[in-house]
Amino acid sequence: MELHDVWFVLIAVLWIGYFFLEGFDFGVGVLTKLLARNRPEKRVLINTIGPVWDGNEVWLLSAGGATFAAFPEWYATLFSGFYLPLLLILVCLIVRGVAFEYRVKRPEENWQRNWETAIFWTSLLPAFLWGVAFANIVRGVKIDRDFEYVGTVADLLNPYALLGGLVTLTLFTFHGTVFVGLKTVGDIRERARKLALRVGAATAGLALLFLLWTQIERGDGVSLVAAVVAVAALMTALAAVRAGREGWAFALSGVTIVAAVAMLFLTLFPNVMPSSLNEDWSLTVTNASSSPYTLKIMTWCAVIATPVVMLYQGWTYWVFRKRIGIQHIAESAH
C-alpha cells in the first residue's frame, strides 16, 4: 500500500472519530430545545458535554490539517467549491464555543436564553450541513480539467445531498439522546429514552434510504458490508434503548456512525472528489496527494502524536464519567 493510500485511510479515520464524538454533542445541543423543559434541565444537558465538547473538535482540526498537508489539491478544490457551506459551519462552531463559555457569565434570564438558543442552532446547522457536504463529495460535483469547482451553491442542494443532511442530523440527534440517557439520572433520563425510540425510528428510515441510494449509485461488495453493519447496528441500538441498556445503545449508535461514514469513504476510493463532468477530471489519491517525502514526514508525526491525543482524551472521558441530574445543579450558579 502506497503512503497516499495510507493517508486516505487515516483521514477517513479522523472524520469517523470526529463524527462519532462531535455527533453526540451536536445531538445534545439539539436536545436543549427538544428534551429540556426548564433551565435546570438545559444546564444538565449542557453539563453532560461541557468537559468534552472542545476536545471533540480536535478531530476536525486534525482531519482538516491532514487533508491540507496530504492532499493539497483535494483541500483546495473542496474549500473553494464548498466555501459558503463550510464558512457557515465554521461560524456556527465559533459561535457555539462562545455560547458555551458566555452563557454563565451573567445571571439575567434573557442573556442565558439567547446563548442557549445559539447553542441549539449552532448544533443543528452543522449536523445538517456536514451530511450535505459529504453526500456531495460522494455523489460527485462539477470539477473541470484544471481540478477547479465550476458549479454553484445551488448545485450542492440536490435531493441526494439534502437526504444526506437529514440523515446526519437525525443520526447525531439519536446518538446524543442515547448519550443523555447514559449520562443523566431521574426524569430526564427516562424522557431521553422515550425520545430516542422516536428519533431512532425516523433515523432508521432515512438512513436505509440514503445507504441504499449510495450503494446503487457508487457501491461495491465491501461498501455493502459496511451498509449492512450500519443498519444492523442502528436497529440493535433501538432494541437496547427499549431494554434500558444505555451503554450498549450508545456503543451501537457509535458503530452505526462508524460503519456509515466508512461506507462513504469506501465508495469514494480511489477518488477523493469525483467529477460529475468527466471521470478523467476527478481528484484521486494519486493526482491530489503531496510528495512521498512530505507523506513520510507526516506519517512519523502521526505515529508520535496520535497516541498522546488518544490518551489525554480518554482520560478526560474517564474523569467525567459519572451521571448527573438537576440535583447536582446549584440553584445560585449562573
Side-chain angles (χ1 to χ4, degrees):
M1 180 181 288
E2 299 289 339
L3 276 180
H4 51 64
D5 297 330
V6 172
W7 273 98
F8 178 85
V9 174
L10 291 176
I11 288 172
V13 170
L14 290 171
W15 280 110
I16 288 171
Y18 174 66
F19 288 139
F20 180 95
L21 296 171
E22 191 85 311
F24 71 74
D25 70 48
F26 280 149
V28 172
V30 172
L31 293 177
T32 57
K33 289 285 188 183
L34 301 183
L35 183 63
R37 292 176 174 174
N38 49 47
R39 175 139 296 110
E41 289 191 351
K42 288 183 179 181
R43 287 162 62 186
V44 168
L45 293 180
I46 293 171
N47 284 355
T48 62
I49 60 173
V52 299
W53 68 267
D54 49 353
N56 293 343
E57 292 186 355
V58 169
W59 292 80
L60 173 61
L61 298 175
S62 299
T67 303
F68 172 77
F71 298 101
E73 287 282 359
W74 183 13
Y75 183 93
T77 303
L78 176 64
F79 278 78
S80 60
F82 291 32
Y83 181 80
L84 286 179
L86 292 179
L87 177 63
L88 181 56
I89 290 174
L90 177 61
V91 171
C92 285
L93 294 180
I94 293 171
V95 174
R96 188 169 183 262
V98 173
F100 281 128
E101 299 296 334
Y102 273 57
R103 54 175 287 279
V104 296
K105 298 304 182 182
R106 291 171 56 179
E108 291 89 344
E109 183 176 347
N110 284 343
W111 174 272
Q112 295 189 6
R113 184 172 59 247
N114 289 339
W115 285 119
E116 287 162 0
T117 300
I119 290 172
F120 169 76
W121 285 109
T122 56
S123 298
L124 185 148
L125 287 174
F128 176 75
L129 290 173
W130 279 128
V132 172
F134 269 82
N136 273 298
I137 292 173
V138 171
R139 174 177 176 267
V141 292
K142 294 179 179 179
I143 299 175
D144 65 12
R145 67 173 67 250
D146 297 319
F147 302 139
E148 294 182 0
Y149 179 73
V150 293
T152 64
V153 174
D155 294 327
L156 303 178
L157 302 178
N158 54 80
Y160 177 76
L162 294 175
L163 176 60
L166 290 176
V167 170
T168 52
L169 175 58
T170 54
L171 181 55
F172 291 169
T173 304
F174 173 68
H175 196 39
T177 309
V178 174
F179 180 77
V180 169
L182 180 65
K183 289 288 292 179
T184 59
V185 294
D187 181 58
I188 194 170
R189 176 187 177 189
E190 181 61 26
R191 284 189 282 114
R193 186 183 69 84
K194 293 178 180 178
L195 180 60
L197 292 173
R198 297 197 295 271
V199 176
T203 303
L206 291 170
L208 182 61
L209 178 59
F210 178 75
L211 294 176
L212 182 61
W213 192 343
T214 304
Q215 180 63 30
I216 292 173
E217 292 289 332
R218 295 276 181 179
D220 55 18
V222 179
S223 65
L224 178 60
V225 172
V228 170
V229 170
V231 173
L234 180 56
M235 300 308 296
T236 311
L238 283 169
V241 170
R242 193 173 290 108
R245 304 295 298 272
E246 290 101 341
W248 280 106
F250 180 71
L252 288 164
S253 67
V255 171
T256 302
I257 293 175
V258 170
V261 179
M263 181 202 179
L264 297 183
F265 278 93
L266 286 168
T267 59
L268 266 180
F269 188 81
N271 293 323
V272 294
M273 206 165 178
S275 172
S276 60
L277 300 178
N278 188 324
E279 289 187 3
D280 293 335
W281 298 344
S282 296
L283 289 167
T284 69
V285 293
T286 303
N287 63 26
S289 70
S290 294
S291 67
Y293 183 69
T294 299
L295 297 178
K296 184 181 294 186
I297 293 175
M298 289 177 60
T299 302
W300 280 110
C301 292
V303 168
I304 296 170
T306 302
V308 177
V309 174
M310 299 289 286
L311 283 172
Y312 83 68
Q313 194 161 25
W315 178 80
T316 302
Y317 277 92
W318 174 255
V319 169
F320 296 101
R321 66 189 182 278
K322 293 184 178 180
R323 295 176 182 268
I324 62 173
I326 58 174
Q327 66 269 28
H328 301 117
I329 304 295
E331 291 184 4
S332 60
H334 59 76

